[in-house]
Amino acid sequence: MKKVKHIIAAIFLLICVEKSVAQDPSFSQFFSSPLNINPALTGNINADWRAIANFRDQWMGPSSPYATGTISYDRKVFQNKIPNVDDEGNIFGIGGMFMFDRAMGGIVKSSYASLNVSYNIKLLDGDFKHRLGAGFGATYGYRSVDFSGLNFEEQFTGFGFNTNMPTGEAALASMKAYISVNAGCTYSITGETSNFDIGVAAFHVNKPKQTFLKDDNQILAIRKVAHANFETFLSEQLVLNTNAIYQVQDKASYYSVGSALGYYLPAEKNIMLTGGVWYWSKNAIVPYFGLSYNDYQFGVSYDITHSKLSQTALAHSTWELSFIIRGKTKPSGVIPCPWK
């Protein structure tokens, strides 16, 4: 009976792994992970440079089965050094991101490193500035399985499982890294007290091959993204932020939409408290709290699951943290925006 339970558990894990590799990691705070949403958002900052860290712990508990984190850095380059590239004109941006993803309590491990470039031009000046941006990127990805955490039928000795014995799964031992190509564009309209951005992007447009489990030539599906955000001052102390995203990859798709209110403390003009909520389709309702101090921004969110997973006996606790630092040589003079 114990043998059967181990085999069933291994099969279940492998099925989950095969489904998980068909999709890129996603964040509830997608608005705090711009380089993972659209390469055209690289260098699209209300500052000279920006550094971001994200961490998501899904179903947090004794084993923390799913954990995802990113570190990214992007900046404007060649400002005032080549024609039409300055703080008031066109913007050239460059940036990079490292992401890790741990599934099944660390049995399945994924690592990604990406490099992006972008160019943003001013189309129309006046009370409302219209801008068009385009970005391109490349991602190096690698996935692996820790076989010591799994038991296979071939490893059963009659008295237990010997993980030093062959698994019988040849494809598992020959997984290879891949390189994918990404592209996107954005359109922005910015006024004195409001800002609107819309964009589309596609990741893995070259459909790279990856070796995983049963198929050693599995194609990584294109991830298509559409996003929009709107920010405006409701008063001198109150700011409204609204964001939405739609993603589709292979047969999986979702959308997330929500908004938050930011409040500048009367006695401290450089401190803003933010509270809001997002709806993640077929998955969760996500309350969010943020704190901004000068060029530092901290955010925390919690997923209130409303999918079928909420009906299981297992406790589901998913937290997500974000931390953003922006550096600038002079005040930007624009409204706060999570995308920027």
Side-chain angles (χ1 to χ4, degrees):
M1 185 66 180
K2 186 176 181 181
K3 172 186 174 181
V4 174
K5 287 183 178 179
H6 278 83
I7 295 173
I8 292 174
I11 293 173
F12 174 76
L13 286 173
L14 291 177
I15 292 173
C16 292
V17 167
E18 285 193 274
K19 289 183 178 180
S20 68
V21 298
Q23 303 174 37
D24 291 347
S26 299
F27 289 95
S28 298
Q29 295 183 43
F30 61 90
F31 46 84
S32 295
S33 185
L35 271 63
N36 189 44
I37 297 303
N38 192 335
L41 292 172
T42 304
N44 189 11
I45 323 168
N46 291 337
D48 295 321
W49 59 267
R50 170 179 57 187
I52 303 177
N54 308 91
F55 181 74
R56 176 180 175 84
D57 200 329
Q58 188 172 351
W59 302 358
M60 188 167 59
S63 61
S64 293
Y66 300 96
T68 307
T70 70
I71 298 177
S72 66
Y73 177 84
D74 61 324
R75 69 171 298 120
K76 300 171 183 176
V77 294
F78 304 131
Q79 301 304 105
N80 299 308
K81 293 184 179 179
I82 60 177
N84 298 318
V85 178
D86 54 48
D87 291 336
E88 300 301 328
N90 301 340
I91 298 171
F92 185 71
I94 187 170
M97 181 182 70
F98 174 78
M99 176 186 292
F100 72 87
D101 189 44
R102 303 291 182 265
M104 308 302 169
I107 293 176
V108 183
K109 300 177 182 179
S110 304
S111 299
Y112 314 85
S114 62
L115 181 65
N116 296 341
V117 294
S118 69
Y119 196 66
N120 192 287
I121 62 174
K122 182 164 55 178
L123 299 177
L124 183 63
D125 206 351
D127 293 338
F128 289 93
K129 295 180 175 63
H130 293 244
R131 307 187 68 93
L132 177 66
F136 301 90
T139 300
Y140 173 89
Y142 179 74
R143 293 180 171 119
S144 63
V145 174
D146 181 7
F147 302 115
S148 63
L150 292 174
N151 297 323
F152 294 82
E153 184 177 7
E154 289 80 358
Q155 298 173 324
F156 186 69
T157 63
F159 301 96
F161 287 86
N162 182 356
T163 57
N164 293 320
M165 295 177 64
T167 64
E169 296 288 340
L172 291 174
S174 59
M175 290 182 291
K176 299 177 182 178
Y178 64 87
I179 296 178
S180 66
V181 178
N182 319 310
C185 61
T186 60
Y187 192 88
S188 305
I189 304 174
T190 304
E192 192 173 332
T193 60
S194 62
N195 177 82
F196 173 74
D197 295 279
I198 190 169
V200 293
F203 292 77
H204 320 306
V205 295
N206 58 325
K207 297 183 178 180
K209 291 182 179 180
Q210 60 173 347
T211 305
F212 213 92
L213 301 180
K214 297 178 181 179
D215 187 359
D216 60 356
N217 287 308
Q218 181 178 347
I219 300 297
L220 189 58
I222 297 176
R223 173 164 63 100
K224 302 171 186 177
V225 185
H227 61 85
N229 64 282
F230 175 72
E231 295 81 32
T232 186
F233 272 106
L234 300 179
S235 67
E236 290 186 359
Q237 292 179 272
L238 202 59
V239 182
L240 172 66
N241 285 294
T242 301
N243 303 85
I245 188 172
Y246 175 76
Q247 287 198 123
V248 57
Q249 187 173 17
D250 199 12
K251 297 179 182 179
S253 65
Y254 83 93
Y255 67 87
S256 181
V257 59
S259 61
L261 286 175
Y263 177 71
Y264 281 102
L265 299 184
E268 298 287 345
K269 295 296 184 180
N270 57 347
I271 298 179
M272 183 173 67
L273 302 179
T274 306
V277 63
W278 271 258
Y279 172 77
W280 187 332
S281 63
K282 302 178 182 179
N283 186 13
I285 296 173
V286 186
Y288 168 85
F289 173 77
L291 171 65
S292 300
Y293 174 73
N294 288 333
D295 298 321
Y296 301 90
Q297 180 178 321
F298 172 78
V300 58
S301 62
Y302 177 78
D303 288 17
I304 302 174
T305 305
H306 63 73
S307 66
K308 293 181 180 180
L309 291 173
S310 62
Q311 303 171 9
T312 62
L314 217 84
H316 302 292
S317 180
T318 301
W319 292 87
E320 197 169 298
L321 304 174
S322 64
F323 183 64
I324 303 174
I325 305 175
R326 297 176 178 87
K328 53 181 178 285
T329 56
K330 63 180 181 179
S332 59
V334 295
I335 66 174
C337 174
W339 287 112
K340 301 178 180 180

